[in-house]
Each structure stands twice: as C-alpha cells, then as structure tokens.
C-alpha cells in the first residue's frame, strides 16, 4: 500500500467528487481512480459506492477513512520530526483552530511558538468549539483554543491559558460611558449587538443573564465578532464582549469598555489537544508553549482596555 494511494482516497472522501479530488492531488482523474482501485485490491474491500459519479463511502470505506487520516498524520509527523532534527527546529505547518472569542489572545500563543520555531508556519482558523472537536477527531488541526469548562470537548488534553471575563462596550456618547462598572440588568436596557445563538460565547452570555434574572434580546445578532465591532463603531449599538477585546480596542478613543457585574463571571479558556499517542512534533511543541505560558503567566497581562 502506498501513502499516495491513501492520500488520494482521503482527498476523494473529503471532496466527494473525482474531478475535484484529482485537481487537489495534481493528477488526472484516471490516475486517481486507478490508484483507489489498487487500494481496494490491496485491502480486498470495496471502499466507494460508485455510479456515474461518486455516491458515498461503503461502511468499510468509512473505517479506512479514519485509519487513513491517522496514518497520513503519522507519516507527516515522521517527516516533520526528521526534518526538525536535521535543521535544528520545526519547519512544518502548525494548524490551530481558535474560537472567535479567543482570537485576540491567540497571537500570544503563536508569538511564543514562532519564537521557539522560527522555521515553522502557522495556519490559524476561526472555528466554533464543535468544529474544533471535529477537526481534532479528523486530524485536520493540531490543536485548538476554546472554552474548557463550558460544553467541554471529548477525548482531549486540556491546558488552561486564561480566564475570560466580560465587559460592556459602547460609544463614548452613550449614557453609560465612563462608568466604573455596569450591571447585567443595566446592560440589557441598551440596544445590543451580540453574537448569534449558534456561537458558544452567546450561549454563555445567555446563561449569565439568566442568573441575573434578565434576558438578552439584541437588536442585531451576527455570527462574527467583526460584525459586532463594525456596529460598535457606528450608530447607537452597544455590545458585551470578552475582556481580551480591550487589546483590539486599544487606541480607539470613541469607545468605552466597562466591567460587567451582578454577577461577575469568569470562563476558562485554554489549549486542547487530541488525547492520542504518540504526539506529533507540532503538537508536542504547541503543548510546550502552552505549559510555558502557564508557568510564566504570559496571558495574565491581558486587560480590559
């Protein structure tokens, strides 16, 4: 069995189209089809339900897909490990999934990683916590930054990085601007722009508001913090955002950020890695950066603006 044949099969399973899979693999469609036929012959199994086009994977194909992803991940890890030993540092690509709420803090982790492995590249993907779970399960990412103690992920190792708290954000002309703190009961009286309910951050905010005996009813809901921030910059809109967005708002004088109280709330955010051994060199290096960040309290300086 050739690694190349497995790669073709996994790509076809992801694309579910022979032509697109062949283009991704930089081969002709007959070459890709022939390689997958050879893989089926080698395993003595039918892996694909075929018609005039790709229809689906067989049950055996689904099992081979899982093992194929693991084998390809291990092969890439072997290559990265040998390359790193030859060159004195990692030179592959780190794939990091980050929930939108943690994006302002992600640079602290990537900065530490690049400082230790300047030859490596980093691909940061904005992902929901559920997408991070799928990405880890399917070997599509090396690690994720997400909530640890709310809707926790399964089959992962967790490394705490910092506690997320929440601030009320508004324009300086707002009636609440400049206050030392804002209660949740006061916050819900303003025209809010918040994340939509499919985002975990919004589900956390809804639960805190419920504890305060109030209900969040935003005038505008979006699945992107960029959408929240753009509305903050214009019009009467206010928002509730993680305290780390104070770094994003630094130098924006027309905005005011104030801690939310009654109740005050903190949510743990950290690094999650798939609970499997052996770890790839990238995963080991990422874990080392997270442990160093915890020991040096690298994330402790993040304020609310």
């Amino acid at each position: 069995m050739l690694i190349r044949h497995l790669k073709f099969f996994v790509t076809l399973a992801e694309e579910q189209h022979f032509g697109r899979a062949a283009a991704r693999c930089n081969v002709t469609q007959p070459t890709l089809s022939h390689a997958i036929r050879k893989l089926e012959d080698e395993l003595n199994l039918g892996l694909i339900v075929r018609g005039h086009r790709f229809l689906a994977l067989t049950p055996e194909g689904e099992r081979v897909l899982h093992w194929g992803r693991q084998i390809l991940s291990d092969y890439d890890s072997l290559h990265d490990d040998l390359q790193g030993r030859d060159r004195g540092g990692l030179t592959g690509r780190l794939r990091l999934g980050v929930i939108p709420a943690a994006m302002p803090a992600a640079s602290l982790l990537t900065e530490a990683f690049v400082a230790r492995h300047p030859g490596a590249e980093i691909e940061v993907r904005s992902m929901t916590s559920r997408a991070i779970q799928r990405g880890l399960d399917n070997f599509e990412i090396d690690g994720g930054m997400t909530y640890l103690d709310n809707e926790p992920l399964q089959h992962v190792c967790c490394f705490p990085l910092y506690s997320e708290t929440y601030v009320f954000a508004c324009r300086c002309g707002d009636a609440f601007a400049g206050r030392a703190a804002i209660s949740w009961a006061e916050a819900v009286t303003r025209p809010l722009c918040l994340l939509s309910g499919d985002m975990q951050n919004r589900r956390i905010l809804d639960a805190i508001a419920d504890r305060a005996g109030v209900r969040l009813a935003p005038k505008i809901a979006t699945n992107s913090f960029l959408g929240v921030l753009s509305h903050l910059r214009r019009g009467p809109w206010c928002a509730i955002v993680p305290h780390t967005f104070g770094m994003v708002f630094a130098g924006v004088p027309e905005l005011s950020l104030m801690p939310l109280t009654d109740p005050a709330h903190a949510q743990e955010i950290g690094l999650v890695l798939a609970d499997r051994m052996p770890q790839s060199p990238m995963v080991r290096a990422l874990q080392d950066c997270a442990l160093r960040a915890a020991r040096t309290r690298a994330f402790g300086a993040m304020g609310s603006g």
Side-chain angles (χ1 to χ4, degrees):
M1 185 189 305
L2 295 176
I3 291 292
R4 186 170 65 113
H5 295 168
L6 270 179
K7 184 175 183 180
F8 289 174
F9 171 71
V10 170
T11 303
L12 177 61
E14 293 172 350
E15 293 291 341
Q16 299 187 9
H17 188 279
F18 281 93
R20 291 196 300 268
R24 255 183 71 182
C25 295
N26 294 314
V27 298
T28 64
Q29 187 169 323
T31 298
L32 180 129
S33 297
H34 179 69
I36 291 175
R37 288 285 190 189
K38 286 181 68 70
L39 180 61
E40 291 178 314
D41 291 343
E42 178 74 20
L43 297 173
N44 195 27
L45 292 171
L47 304 179
I48 297 169
V49 180
R50 293 176 174 85
H52 293 297
R53 55 185 175 81
F54 177 94
L55 295 178
L57 296 181
T58 65
E60 294 80 8
E62 293 286 354
R63 293 174 64 185
V64 172
L65 175 61
H66 173 79
W67 282 102
R69 282 173 167 155
Q70 182 168 336
I71 290 168
L72 291 174
S73 177
D74 289 343
Y75 178 79
D76 290 341
S77 297
L78 171 63
H79 182 268
D80 291 343
D81 195 9
L82 295 176
Q83 289 289 97
R85 292 175 189 273
D86 292 342
R87 301 182 184 182
L90 295 177
T91 57
R93 173 171 294 181
L94 171 70
R95 302 161 302 171
L96 183 65
V98 182
I99 59 171
M103 271 296 180
S107 60
L108 297 177
L109 189 59
T110 57
E111 180 183 10
F113 189 92
V114 169
R116 294 180 60 79
H117 304 281
E121 298 178 353
I122 302 178
E123 178 184 339
V124 179
R125 306 179 189 178
S126 177
M127 305 173 73
T128 66
S129 57
R130 292 166 182 168
I132 288 174
Q133 178 80 76
R134 291 193 298 271
L136 291 172
D137 291 343
N138 294 333
F139 303 90
E140 294 169 352
I141 58 175
D142 300 298
M145 284 181 65
T146 185
Y147 295 106
L148 300 185
D149 49 4
N150 186 74
E151 301 178 13
L153 304 192
Q154 302 297 310
H155 312 299
V156 295
C157 300
C158 300
F159 303 88
L161 294 174
Y162 65 96
S163 292
E164 176 182 274
T165 58
Y166 304 99
V167 297
F168 180 82
C170 63
R171 294 176 63 83
C172 286
D174 190 87
F176 289 164
R179 295 263 298 269
I182 300 293
S183 71
W184 286 82
E186 290 173 316
V188 300
T189 66
R190 305 302 296 145
L192 294 175
C193 176
L194 301 176
L195 288 187
S196 49
D198 58 325
M199 308 297 288
Q200 188 175 180
N201 173 267
R202 172 61 188 280
R203 296 194 292 274
I204 291 172
L205 298 187
D206 283 340
I208 302 171
D210 185 64
R211 282 169 47 204
V214 297
R215 177 176 172 271
L216 294 176
K219 297 291 186 182
I220 299 175
T222 172
N223 65 353
S224 164
F225 268 116
L226 181 59
V228 173
L229 303 186
S230 67
H231 282 84
L232 272 176
R233 295 298 300 272
R234 296 186 63 84
W237 314 111
C238 304
I240 298 172
V241 296
H243 76 282
T244 53
F245 278 74
M247 297 188 296
V248 178
F249 291 140
V252 183
E254 66 266 29
L255 294 180
S256 178
L257 273 66
M258 295 148 281
L260 277 160
T261 61
D262 301 323
H265 183 87
Q267 202 77 40
E268 196 73 22
I269 283 184
L271 176 70
V272 291
L273 306 173
D275 186 13
R276 66 172 68 99
M277 296 298 290
Q279 290 180 321
S280 73
M282 284 292 179
V283 171
R284 289 199 305 270
L286 185 58
Q287 176 179 312
D288 181 61
C289 283
L291 291 173
R292 286 173 177 270
R295 286 196 299 268
T296 60
R297 302 183 183 276
F299 287 81
M302 295 184 299
S304 58

